[in-house]
Amino acid sequence: METDLRVGQGWDLHRLVEGRPLVLGGVAIPYDRGLAGHSDADVLTHALIDAILGALGAGDIGTLYPDTDPTYKGASSLAFLREVVGRAARSGRTVVNADLTVVAEAPKIGPHRDAIRASLARALGVEAARVSVKAKTAEGCGSEGRGEAISASAVVLLAPAGRRGGDHQ
Ligand code: MG
């Protein structure tokens, strides 16, 4: 029987500015700057949301949660993520796994990796082993390398609910 798997990818970038908290994957990370944006500007969660919406063929985060809507000012992006996971569930789909990469010259993401995985896994409704978070620098090149911005990319696989697959592994 065919298993109707759907893959999606997402990418996002936010500028680093003074006077903002740095939130990645719903986890507050101590740093002297944070990401600029209308919501909490959680670039990693935004990439993951766009990946899920891509797999669903359901548009993008900017269409669903426009930054012109005052409702979303300062909003937690994890709440958006939970809504999008609910949207997937209503269309009969569940997350198999997600693989994410953060590109940041600083701060070091490694010490926060497990907390980020746990946070995103909770919002996705999967165990942390199904969420991968990788961190890279940009070798000093481009906006991320100069510390002007942090970017993130995400790939997610969705399967029909109840047929997530791989549970036997
Ligand atoms: Mg964004």
Side-chain angles (χ1 to χ4, degrees):
M1 187 174 166
E2 182 192 348
T3 301
D4 185 11
L5 299 173
R6 302 288 174 93
V7 68
Q9 69 89 29
W11 178 87
D12 197 18
L13 178 149
H14 281 257
R15 285 183 303 113
L16 272 169
V17 294
E18 288 179 0
R20 293 268 302 178
L22 176 60
V23 180
L24 291 174
V27 175
I29 293 176
Y31 193 49
D32 60 358
R33 290 177 296 158
L35 296 172
H38 187 64
S39 65
D40 62 3
D42 183 341
V43 67
L44 185 59
T45 300
H46 290 185
L48 180 54
I49 289 169
D50 261 357
I52 295 170
L53 290 173
L56 294 171
D60 60 48
I61 188 171
T63 310
L64 257 59
Y65 306 106
D67 61 9
T68 50
D69 188 335
T71 312
Y72 304 127
K73 186 167 170 54
S76 166
S77 298
L78 278 189
F80 301 159
L81 177 59
R82 283 191 291 267
E83 279 186 22
V84 168
V85 169
R87 194 185 176 97
R90 285 192 297 280
S91 64
R93 297 188 186 282
T94 186
V95 172
V96 177
N97 74 303
D99 187 16
L100 300 93
T101 302
V102 189
V103 181
E105 210 64 19
K108 289 249 176 289
I109 308 299
H112 308 285
R113 184 199 311 265
D114 286 345
I116 293 171
R117 292 178 75 193
S119 167
L120 291 174
R122 250 191 323 273
L124 291 172
V126 302
E127 60 270 40
R130 291 179 181 273
V131 180
S132 157
V133 175
K134 309 196 290 291
K136 313 192 68 80
T137 70
E139 304 262 331
C141 298
S143 56
E144 297 99 318
R146 289 189 297 269
E148 296 167 0
I150 292 178
S151 68
S153 58
V155 174
V156 69
L157 186 68
L158 303 185
R163 287 185 52 94
R164 188 151 66 184
D167 287 333
H168 57 287
Q169 291 178 352

